[in-house]
């Protein structure tokens, strides 16, 4: 009986997670367009629903009913595989991400995470690396020069930025003496990691921007010079898959930034429910992502590589060394 | 000394991304400034100034007779030949246009017909919503021109309006004067 309840709980949590992650791009696209509009002194969507709130739903219906076009010269198998490869990893990663300690519902303690892995951080970085295959396959299979250029750029970008990103979080792991995200948050109960690891956070955040392929590092889709980059040839629901994946990664980067450097669900000053604290912090980071997008121009390709290898990598190395000397 | 200090200051600022922070502060400020969007045609509409050159109209004198004396000066001066006037003489011997047609598809709204008219009969009014699916419908006759709205009395504002698509597409408004759109322009 207990096993059934436990299993049911896990299935329920996973279903809830998937539903939230699939639906979250709707408000996020609305928010992004609204913020973009107001930064540019426009209003953004205004016509469908109150202040355009139903606009993402209308867009979703449009995407679903559009022709699912596959170019004649495309590699059909890879072309169909790529959106799924891009979509699945960001969803899988959230299995290892905790959203809080636990809440008691009807007398039973329900933990706010699907699993408490002791190598959660490693799992996150390992799985999120697979997402790149979706992008590369998508660009390659479409048999279009813009798509190939976009995916080549992504390839180079991911390789250069995953390394500093991985190094940047080692400082956090050293402080918490654990790779479990839950333990990392518990270790920040008194002082958040951002106090000890400002350089680590800086490297992590910049690399996260590159990982999520947001401006100023959105070379993979660079609208100006590549059409739409790797998903130039995609339409309809497959395109929607790529968009959902992109928003999920943006969310994941925000969640990781909060968990690793901003104390997770530990609050300061104002006693709010832990889950609310967590969501507020994540929302702030999501806002920062969107804010950055409509403030900065895009880096040139060689500048991107230079920043990755000549600035971020040495900085993250120095961060590890200094953390090691100071705390161990 | 001070120049050297300035330079160090710039370098320190550069190292801590002062320029990027400036940009972020600027866009953040813009986010809370008033949008300049005019929500035409759903909610708002622009009232033109009285000097605006929109759709032509013909005027009548006090007796209700058409002012036009069919001298055809407007047709002569028109740079794109879009006015066609055919005169007739009534019982009292006054010339009036039997036919007065303006091809709005050709008109470039220069206002020369208004300047040339010796009888102040033709002028360019405030109406600007007369697009059509057929260029044939854009040839406007004498009686239609007499019914067109004249110059705007006030203007230069944005008024609340409503889009009416029941028969024709019409942007209706009842307000004579609106808010000054320029107040929303951020000048810093």
């Amino acid at each position: 009986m207990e096993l059934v309840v436990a299993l049911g709980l896990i299935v329920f949590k996973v279903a809830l997670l998937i539903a939230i992650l699939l639906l979250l791009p709707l408000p996020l696209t609305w928010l992004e367009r609204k913020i973009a509009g107001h930064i540019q002194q426009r209003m953004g969507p205004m016509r469908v629903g109150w202040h355009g709130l139903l606009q993402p739903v209308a867009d979703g219906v449009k995407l679903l009913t559009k022709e699912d076009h596959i170019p004649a010269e495309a590699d059909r198998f890879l072309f169909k595989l790529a959106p799924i490869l891009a979509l699945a990893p960001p969803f899988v990663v959230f299995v290892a991400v905790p959203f809080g300690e636990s809440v008691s519902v009807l007398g039973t303690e329900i933990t706010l995470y699907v699993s408490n892995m002791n190598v959660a951080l490693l799992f996150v970085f390992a799985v999120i690396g697979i997402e790149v295959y979706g992008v590369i396959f998508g660009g390659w299979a479409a048999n279009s020069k813009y798509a190939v250029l976009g995916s080549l750029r992504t390839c180079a970008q991911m390789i250069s930025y995953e390394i500093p990103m991985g190094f940047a979080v080692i400082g956090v792991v050293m402080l918490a003496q654990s790779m479990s995200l839950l333990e990392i948050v518990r270790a920040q109960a008194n002082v958040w990691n951002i106090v000890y690891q400002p350089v680590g956070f800086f490297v992590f955040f910049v690399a996260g921007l590159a990982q999520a392929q947001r401006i100023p590092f959105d070379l993979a889709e660079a609208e100006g010079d590549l059409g739409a980059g790797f998903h130039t040839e995609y339409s309809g629901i497959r395109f929607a898959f790529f968009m959902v994946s992109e928003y999920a990664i943006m969310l994941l980067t925000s969640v990781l930034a909060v968990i690793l450097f901003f104390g997770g669900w530990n609050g300061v000053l104002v006693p709010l429910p832990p889950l609310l604290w967590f969501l507020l912090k994540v929302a702030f980071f999501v806002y920062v992502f969107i804010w950055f997008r409509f403030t900065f121009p895009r880096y040139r390709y060689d500048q991107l590589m230079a920043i990755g290898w000549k600035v971020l990598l040495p900085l993250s190395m120095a961060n590890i060394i200094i953390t090691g000397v100071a705390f161990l | 000394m001070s120049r050297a200090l300035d330079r160090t200051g710039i370098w320190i600022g550069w190292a801590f991304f002062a320029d990027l922070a400036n940009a972020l502060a600027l866009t953040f400020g813009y986010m809370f400034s008033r949008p300049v969007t005019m929500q035409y045609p759903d909610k708002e509409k622009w009232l033109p100034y009285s000097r605006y050159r929109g759709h032509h109209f013909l005027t009548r004198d006090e007796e209700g007779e058409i002012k036009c004396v069919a001298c055809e000066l407007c047709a002569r001066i028109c740079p794109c030949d879009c006015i066609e006037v055919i005169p007739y003489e009534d019982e009292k011997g006054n010339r009036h246009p039997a036919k007065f047609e303006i091809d709005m598809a050709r008109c470039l709204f220069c206002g020369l017909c208004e300047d040339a008219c010796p009888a102040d009969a033709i002028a360019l009014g405030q109406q600007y919503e007369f697009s059509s699916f057929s260029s044939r419908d854009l040839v406007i006759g004498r009686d239609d021109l007499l019914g067109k709205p004249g110059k705007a009395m006030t203007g230069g504002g944005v008024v609340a309006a409503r889009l009416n698509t029941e028969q024709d597409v019409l942007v209706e408004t009842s307000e004579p004067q609106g808010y000054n759109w320029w107040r929303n322009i951020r000048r810093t």
Side-chain angles (χ1 to χ4, degrees), chain A residues 15-324:
Chain A
L16 193 69
L17 207 58
I18 289 175
I20 289 175
L21 282 178
L22 272 180
L23 290 178
L24 213 61
L26 297 181
L28 279 181
T29 46
W30 179 81
L31 211 65
E32 179 145 23
R33 291 178 64 179
K34 271 294 185 195
I35 291 173
H38 281 276
I39 281 179
Q40 295 161 0
Q41 289 194 300
R42 297 181 288 112
M43 284 175 161
M46 285 294 281
R47 300 177 105 163
V48 190
W50 183 82
H51 278 248
L53 257 180
L54 296 178
Q55 185 69 47
V57 181
D59 286 348
V61 171
K62 184 201 77 177
L63 277 178
L64 289 180
T65 51
K66 263 192 165 181
E67 186 193 353
D68 178 21
H69 178 73
I70 300 180
E73 296 292 312
D75 183 330
R76 297 179 74 88
F77 174 70
L78 282 185
F79 194 83
K80 288 174 182 169
L81 183 69
I84 300 163
L85 264 183
L87 186 66
F91 279 65
V92 173
V93 160
F94 274 93
V95 165
V97 173
F99 296 92
E101 290 284 354
S102 60
V103 286
S104 59
V105 181
L106 301 172
T108 44
E109 289 281 303
I110 295 178
T111 50
L112 287 173
Y113 42 85
V114 179
S115 71
N116 179 19
M117 290 183 207
N118 52 2
V119 286
L121 201 53
L122 196 63
F123 176 81
V124 166
F125 281 107
V127 173
I128 207 65
I130 298 173
E131 192 265 342
V132 186
Y133 282 105
V135 174
I136 294 169
F137 284 173
W140 176 254
N143 210 349
S144 141
K145 59 185 169 211
Y146 292 125
V148 169
L149 274 174
S151 57
L152 281 180
R153 284 181 176 191
T154 312
C155 208
Q157 182 178 334
M158 289 298 164
I159 290 169
S160 355
Y161 279 82
E162 248 171 28
I163 297 166
M165 198 175 186
F167 279 155
V169 298
I170 286 180
V172 174
V173 174
M174 284 157 93
L175 284 180
Q177 310 265 339
S178 165
M179 281 190 106
S180 154
L181 292 175
L182 212 59
E183 290 300 325
I184 288 175
V185 174
R186 280 177 191 150
Q188 300 177 64
N190 298 319
V191 188
W192 295 356
N193 275 341
I194 181 74
V195 179
Y196 299 129
Q197 299 276 330
V199 177
F201 170 70
F202 169 74
V203 174
F204 176 84
F205 188 71
V206 174
L209 277 174
Q211 195 84 352
Q213 309 201 355
R214 305 279 303 182
I215 277 180
F217 303 110
D218 70 334
L219 282 151
E221 36 200 290
E223 293 95 346
D225 37 315
L226 285 185
F230 65 91
H231 56 57
T232 307
E233 305 293 341
Y234 281 90
S235 63
I237 185 68
R238 293 184 210 279
F239 172 72
F241 275 20
F242 277 120
M243 289 317 278
V244 171
S245 143
E246 199 170 292
Y247 277 105
I249 289 184
M250 177 173 130
L251 200 70
L252 177 78
T253 315
S254 310
V255 166
L256 279 185
V258 169
I259 288 180
L260 296 177
F261 295 97
F262 281 84
W265 46 88
N266 297 313
V268 276
L269 302 175
V270 197
L272 291 172
L275 189 62
L276 193 63
W277 257 116
F278 186 72
L279 292 180
L280 276 177
K281 289 178 193 170
V282 171
F284 171 74
F285 273 100
V286 169
Y287 173 75
V288 167
F289 269 86
I290 298 173
W291 184 15
F292 271 36
R293 171 162 180 192
F294 295 102
T295 302
F296 297 134
R298 183 181 303 124
Y299 277 108
R300 222 169 48 216
Y301 185 61
D302 58 321
Q303 290 171 334
L304 177 96
M305 288 297 143
I307 293 171
W309 292 107
K310 293 182 187 164
V311 180
L312 294 187
L313 193 62
L315 266 181
S316 57
M317 291 285 210
N319 187 47
I320 293 173
I321 292 168
I322 292 168
T323 314

Side-chain angles (χ1 to χ4, degrees), chain B residues 91-105:
Chain B
E91 316 82 63
K92 287 182 264 172
N94 295 329
R95 266 166 71 104
H96 287 303
K99 181 182 173 194
F100 195 110
E101 274 185 0
I102 301 182
D103 188 349
M104 301 307 294

Side-chain angles (χ1 to χ4, degrees), chain B residues 63-110:
Chain B
E63 283 111 59
E65 188 59 64
I66 185 166
K67 268 189 182 173
C68 177
V69 292
C71 61
E72 294 179 51
L73 275 178
C74 49
R76 272 299 181 84
I77 204 163
C78 182
C80 41
D81 263 350
C82 66
I83 306 180
E84 192 188 353
V85 186
I86 296 178
Y88 78 100
E89 221 165 89
D90 65 7
E91 316 82 63
K92 287 182 264 172
N94 295 329
R95 266 166 71 104
H96 287 303
K99 181 182 173 194
F100 195 110
E101 274 185 0
I102 301 182
D103 188 349
M104 301 307 294
R106 298 180 56 130
C107 179
L108 56 82
F109 302 96
C110 60

